[in-house]
Amino acid sequence: MPKLTVEGVGVFDVPAGKRLVLALVDDAKIDQLHACGGLARCTTCRVEFVSGEPATMTNAEKKVLAERGLSGVRLSCQIICDHDMTVRVISRLAGSGRPNPGPRPADMIPPS
């Protein structure tokens, strides 16, 4: 089982193959935003990697980050937990002014 370390929160064993956004919500109990439901459209699920950043990126993630001119962040909805990683959560429901984090993302990343 991969270990997910959430800076300032703790270390969690996560089932291999689980989407990072769902690991943050389900396992780490973080109020992580995911306004578009994990479809790589809104960028509200952004995280910063402290270590263990995946070398690969989905086409959908590449596209939306480029369109928005974002660097130094990744979309947790487009990352699979398949190795140990440490993240800093930067997009939380608390303080966002949103009524909810968004619809629950599917278990699998949709094809891009």
Side-chain angles (χ1 to χ4, degrees), residues 22-55:
L22 294 177
L24 290 169
V25 171
D26 298 343
D27 301 295
K29 305 297 184 211
I30 299 291
D31 59 339
Q32 174 69 50
L33 289 174
H34 43 77
C36 72
L39 301 174
R41 293 189 182 139
C42 67
T43 73
T44 61
C45 69
R46 290 176 292 213
V47 295
E48 294 176 343
F49 273 86
V50 176
S51 66
E53 181 173 351

Side-chain angles (χ1 to χ4, degrees), residues 20 49 51-57 61 74 78-85 87:
L20 177 55
F49 273 86
S51 66
E53 181 173 351
T56 59
M57 193 180 287
E61 183 180 18
R74 297 289 302 270
Q78 297 297 296
I79 296 170
I80 296 295
C81 295
D82 59 3
H83 63 281
D84 294 352
M85 54 184 71
V87 298

Side-chain angles (χ1 to χ4, degrees), residues 4-12 28 30 50 86-89 92:
L4 170 62
T5 302
V6 181
E7 193 175 70
V9 178
V11 180
F12 307 89
I30 299 291
V50 176
T86 301
V87 298
R88 181 177 301 120
V89 176
R92 299 180 71 161

Side-chain angles (χ1 to χ4, degrees), residues 64-71:
V64 74
L65 291 176
E67 286 174 352
R68 306 231 177 158
L70 296 172
S71 62

